[in-house]
């Protein structure tokens, strides 16, 4: 079925209002796109964050009277000084197949792969994590996840215990288990992340080795050999005492979700208890790794 796409450039304050209008005028779906290259971070559960300059994209049936939609758009009060919009004809294609084709097996380090279920496994003898893109953050495609996966591949030793703080899809904890860890404790603020991690652990046959908690239920007297926290710079600093308490003396810690400009402030928050390795960088993101003082 062919479609027409209407792209409207607006502000973060008006993005939701424009979305509501497009839906009211017959859009079958609406999405939001960054008008510039501005980093935006993972929101809290139930929170929606828009870019300062946001493009609202409405998807309409090709037979829809778009001249009427455009006329209504141009009459909106806050667009009286001129509205930036663009109409595009989209090809008639299998959009589910198109989406699936964008995801391929990804290798991290020497032996670790993440493979979507609909793709052939490139190396059956490698450590393969089976993971499909879903609602929860973390499929290996983002630099912060990739940096943590590479670190786990080089770090995990048999029989170690691991804490995955901000587990998202469960990708890091599952990878640790498949690399040889014996037990993982995963914590996340989002119930959907706990559900996704549970489902992904079952798919990878490690559900008997992973324990998943919301913060209100997380264990308080547990220390692990390895702790990884891929969240955001602000929470990493604010939750320093919680995160560092999970690391055994002489244990190791990886912190990610950090921009290069934020690395020094995060390291400063942990410097009293940890000795840091050289910073690992991918694109504008960094991973910090450190060993806790004994």
């Amino acid at each position: 079925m062919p479609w027409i796409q209407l792209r409207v450039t607006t502000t973060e304050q008006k993005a939701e209002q424009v979305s509501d209008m497009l839906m009211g005028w017959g859009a079958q779906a609406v999405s939001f796109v960054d008008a510039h290259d501005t980093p935006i971070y993972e929101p809290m559960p139930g929170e929606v964050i828009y870019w300062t300059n946001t493009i609202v994209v409405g998807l309409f049936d090709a037979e829809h009277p778009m001249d009427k939609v455009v006329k209504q758009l141009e009459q909106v009060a806050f667009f009286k000084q001129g509205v930036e919009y663009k109409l595009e004809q989209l090809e008639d294609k299998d959009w589910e197949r198109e989406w699936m084709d964008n995801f391929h097996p990804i290798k991290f380090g020497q032996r670790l792969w993440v493979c979507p279920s609909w793709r052939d496994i490139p190396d059956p003898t490698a450590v393969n994590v089976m993971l499909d893109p879903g609602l929860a953050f973390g499929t290996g495609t983002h630099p912060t996840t990739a940096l943590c996966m590479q670190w786990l591949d080089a770090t995990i030793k048999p029989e170690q215990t691991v804490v995955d703080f901000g587990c998202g899809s469960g990708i890091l904890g599952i990878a640790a288990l498949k690399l040889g860890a014996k037990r993982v404790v995963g914590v996340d603020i989002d119930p959907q992340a706990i559900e996704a991690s549970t489902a992904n652990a079952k798919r990878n046959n490690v559900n008997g080795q992973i324990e998943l908690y919301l913060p209100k239920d997380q264990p308080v007297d547990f220390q692990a050999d390895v702790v990884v926290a891929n969240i955001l710079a602000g929470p990493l600093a604010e939750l320093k005492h919680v995160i560092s308490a999970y690391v055994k003396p002489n244990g190791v810690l990886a912190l990610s979700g950090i921009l290069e400009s934020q690395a020094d402030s995060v390291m400063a928050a942990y410097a009293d208890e940890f000795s840091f390795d050289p910073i690992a960088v991918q694109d504008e993101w960094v991973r910090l790794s450190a060993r806790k003082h004994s």
Side-chain angles (χ1 to χ4, degrees), residues 75-193:
Q75 292 174 346
V76 174
F78 55 81
F79 284 138
K80 287 296 185 182
Q81 301 303 315
V83 54
E84 291 186 39
Y85 67 87
K86 184 178 181 181
L87 282 172
E88 298 174 325
Q89 180 82 41
L90 300 182
E91 295 179 51
D92 186 8
K93 59 175 71 175
D94 185 341
W95 290 103
E96 182 178 5
R97 173 55 56 186
E98 183 85 0
W99 175 79
M100 292 172 69
D101 286 347
N102 287 327
F103 293 94
H104 303 270
I106 308 173
K107 187 179 183 182
F108 303 95
Q110 299 299 311
R111 53 188 171 145
L112 181 60
W113 287 82
V114 172
C115 304
S117 60
W118 57 85
R119 295 284 188 182
D120 293 334
I121 296 173
D123 182 1
T125 66
V127 177
N128 292 297
V129 176
M130 306 307 297
L131 191 80
D132 294 342
L135 290 175
F137 183 79
T139 60
T141 58
H142 194 276
T144 60
T145 309
L147 287 164
C148 290
M149 293 286 280
Q150 293 160 7
W151 182 80
L152 288 171
D153 176 73
T155 300
I156 292 295
K157 297 179 176 59
E159 299 300 301
Q160 286 184 320
T161 53
V162 178
V163 169
D164 180 4
F165 196 90
C167 58
S169 65
I171 183 173
L172 300 179
I174 293 166
L177 289 169
K178 301 199 85 168
L179 286 164
K182 68 177 179 181
R183 179 189 177 194
V184 167
V185 170
V187 179
D188 203 285
I189 60 174
D190 190 343
Q192 281 189 310

Side-chain angles (χ1 to χ4, degrees), residues 217-239:
D217 302 317
Q218 69 190 54
V220 293
D221 297 321
F222 175 68
Q223 287 193 309
D225 302 297
V226 177
V227 175
V228 58
N230 181 22
I231 46 178
L232 300 174
L236 285 173
E238 293 166 13
L239 297 170

Side-chain angles (χ1 to χ4, degrees), residues 8-25 27 29-33 46-58 73 76 78-79:
V8 182
T9 302
T10 185
T11 64
E12 61 180 321
Q13 293 82 12
K14 300 297 184 182
E16 192 166 351
Q17 187 175 347
V18 173
S19 169
D20 291 341
M21 287 189 298
L22 295 184
M23 291 297 291
W25 296 336
V30 172
S31 58
F32 302 93
V33 179
E47 181 183 16
V48 179
I49 302 174
Y50 302 110
W51 295 274
T52 302
N53 297 285
T54 298
I55 298 173
V56 184
V57 183
L73 183 65
V76 174
F78 55 81
F79 284 138

